Amino acid sequence: MAGIERWWDDLTRDRFSAVLELVLNAISDDYENLEIILKTINQWYRGEPELRGWKALEAVPVSRSEVVKALRELTQEGFAQACSYDAETKQFLPASFLQDNAGVLWYYVTDKGMAAVNRLLKRGSEIS
């Protein structure tokens, strides 16, 4: 039954890759919190005609836990930065990602993350 296990692993890995792509794109143009990321992916992306054919959308809907897992991975690998918002100075300040406070942080792509987004956009335009 090793073949079935491999198939399941590939399916899971493919879905997680799609979720990573969706989350990275969702945070690529502005600071976003967890709720906005979820809404962007599960509601707004579906209605965008220019996104039709984007393979990553096959993963929609995504769960809160999938997005948190993706944010953890993206921040650990340097594609995204977690931030806290300081209301007094009205600035986003770099923060460490902790799963327990994922819902109160804000996220934005790093230069490395933006390079990845640009590669994804280029790949998508070649496919369409």
Side-chain angles (χ1 to χ4, degrees):
M1 288 293 209
I4 290 174
E5 290 171 0
R6 169 84 196 250
W7 167 81
W8 181 258
D9 289 344
D10 288 347
L11 182 64
T12 303
R13 190 171 24 258
D14 287 346
R15 178 168 176 82
F16 186 58
S17 295
V19 174
L20 285 169
E21 192 172 320
L22 291 166
V23 171
L24 190 61
N25 192 67
I27 63 172
S28 67
D29 63 348
D30 200 0
Y31 289 90
E32 308 291 1
N33 65 25
L34 183 57
E35 296 309 316
I36 294 171
I37 295 167
L38 281 163
K39 187 177 281 190
T40 298
I41 294 170
N42 290 326
Q43 295 174 14
W44 298 335
Y45 280 174
R46 287 185 176 186
E48 296 293 327
E50 66 270 7
L51 298 179
R52 196 170 299 127
W54 184 18
K55 187 155 176 55
L57 288 175
E58 293 174 9
V60 174
V62 299
S63 69
R64 181 183 182 90
S65 63
E66 286 176 306
V67 171
V68 169
K69 182 179 175 185
L71 288 167
R72 181 181 64 229
E73 182 75 16
L74 291 168
T75 56
Q76 284 178 346
E77 296 300 322
F79 291 94
Q81 175 65 56
C83 299
S84 61
Y85 181 72
D86 184 341
E88 189 174 309
T89 64
K90 296 184 170 104
Q91 292 183 337
F92 290 96
L93 305 171
S96 296
F97 177 88
L98 296 172
Q99 193 160 334
D100 292 342
N101 68 350
V104 298
L105 295 173
W106 293 79
Y107 304 91
Y108 193 68
V109 292
T110 60
D111 289 342
K112 180 180 177 179
M114 189 54 79
V117 168
N118 289 331
R119 283 192 306 273
L120 292 170
L121 292 174
K122 184 177 183 217
R123 184 183 74 198
S125 67
E126 293 170 355
I127 293 169
S128 300

